[in-house]
Amino acid sequence: MAAVTRTSPEDVRRAALSPKPKGRGCAFNHDPVKVHAPQGQVDNTKKRLNVDSPTFTPSLTVNGASTKAAGLSPKAASAAPFKPKGLTPGGSGGQKQYNPNAPDWSMAPTPEVPEFLPQSHSAVASMGDTNGGLHQALFDPYVSSSSPLPLSTQPPPQMNPYSQDTNAVGGASFYQNSPFAQPLQYHLYAPLGPHREALLPYQRVASDFFIPDALREDLQRKSAATLQTLPNSTLPPQIDHFHSLVPLDTSNQKNAALFGYPSWIYKAVSSKDGNTYALRRLEGYRLTNEKAIRSVQGWKRVSNGNAVTVIDAFTNRSFGDSSLMFVTDYHPLSKTLAEHHFTPSSRYMSRNQSTPVTEPVLWGYVVQIANALKAIHGNGLAARIIDPSKVLLTSKNRIRLNACAILDVVQHDSPRTLIDLQREDLLQFGRLILAIGTNNPSVIHNVPKAMEHFARSYSPQLKDRVFWLLSMVTPNKIESIDTFINGISSHVMTSFDSTLHLDDQLNSELNRELENSRIVRLMTKINFITERPDYSHDRQWSETGERFPIKLFRDYVFHQVDAQGNPVLDLGHVIGCLNKLDVGSEEKVVLTDRAEQICIVVTFKEMKRAVEGAYQDLVKASRKTL
């Protein structure tokens, strides 16, 4: 450690004029005039130094105190000369040159004193000077990294906008200087296409902002039908792992014309997954060959949008007899094509007076049934039954083939080949389209007359396609469903385009309901926070604590009264306040207590921050008990 001694001015003068011992003394040049002056001027200064020179007096003393001489260690002789960056004559043009006439130190800040710059900034600036003058504006003083690398090589930290933890890296804020994490702007709803025609503001109705009433009511009716139960039912309480059976047949008359056995259809709930399925029962069927029921395994692989999916098949005696049960997907409020087209809409209207089917709808049926048959035939199977009473209309112009796997089990020993069965599918396909087009379910009894009536109502192309299907009655004619699809390719594209438009419409309706639960989440958080008895003695949760404004805000939103003291039930006020709270608006609001003794002016942003902070405290407290 250097020793400090007191010396007189005479000693200082003698020390300055005495010859410097060899190998000792300070190697630094402390005279700024010698450093920055030209060589000739330095020589002239040396010549003026002699024994008659005046006594050296320091330029600055503090309160008249004498200067102190410091002794340095001999190791300082090997140190490199100190040359400040900004004070050298060859410094950068942005730095100011050293002024020898200025005092060494000054109590007041002067322009000559260089501004303090962080370490990372000087490093980046020096690298920029060596790389051709990189602009110093690249420095970001709010970046916590002290790496001297350029900012362009350091990727910004990843941000998790869903995180409410402001201390974590993943919960970084949208704003650099704000410690509060702003969530995604769920209030900024972007209207997705397809859009309606350009309407003026006064032409818009309230339903434009919500899901259409027709779609909402249809979905609600389907949900109600799925949850429907039958009290005091005489049906078995459980069949295998299915329970809560509800009959779906519209008629209680037995009909064994199609399957050879009377069949019934039920809705049931599975105890395995809780989903609702449709159970079709063949009454009085006795299984004689195990291979017959194993044929259902091939139908489980058929996955097509125009065919009802087969889930399982088993025998059961819960009804008091030997019954064969088929499990398929359940489509609530479905109707068969026979009920939709062949049933009069009014008791004053006969079947022949019903509205004829338009050609676009009939082409839609043709394309959808062809799609189902292609999937079935592609799996080495045959539908074997395409009847108006077994084709379901599940939604608007959306049909599905049903009960296709039943005849494979019931008529398992049939000697007919697969090619014959698939050709029979095409023949039944043509008869179905002809029956719907002529509005006559018994068209099979007089096909030529029905075709004549069909040709007068529809285009020649549709007539030719139906006639091609009906020609499958010829035994030696071998055609496939692929040949038929090639002939209707233009209408397949039309049907596909309609499907895409429907998909766009449903996506647009779904976008309106996006994040519609955010107000419920805010109400849940507020009720978690307010009126907690376990925090009644906590100062932060008292009427003078930080959580008290949340209680006042709850009263402001939900407990409004008018001038007469009557409750105000304004849903618009509640939704508006909660939306502003969710957004974190800068709008100010005046909160008063119930006794009108306390008045607080806060913004919705501050209230949002308070709610999130209080809720996070509750979350942390709840995790301690786990």
Side-chain angles (χ1 to χ4, degrees), residues 153-179:
T153 62
Q154 298 181 7
Q158 295 295 330
M159 178 186 60
N160 181 11
Y162 296 96
S163 174
Q164 295 292 341
D165 187 7
T166 59
N167 296 325
V169 177
S173 172
F174 277 95
Y175 308 100
Q176 292 281 351
N177 299 330
S178 175

Side-chain angles (χ1 to χ4, degrees), residues 220-250:
Q220 289 178 345
R221 284 195 297 265
K222 289 183 177 181
S223 299
T226 304
L227 300 176
Q228 181 184 6
T229 58
L230 185 62
N232 303 323
S233 175
T234 58
L235 297 174
Q238 186 168 351
I239 299 178
D240 200 60
H241 59 275
F242 298 95
H243 60 88
S244 303
L245 272 69
V246 176
L248 300 178
D249 293 286
T250 57

Side-chain angles (χ1 to χ4, degrees), residues 238-243 269-273 277 312 314 327:
Q238 186 168 351
I239 299 178
D240 200 60
H241 59 275
F242 298 95
H243 60 88
V269 180
S270 173
S271 58
K272 290 184 178 180
D273 54 12
Y277 297 93
D312 198 7
F314 58 90
V327 184

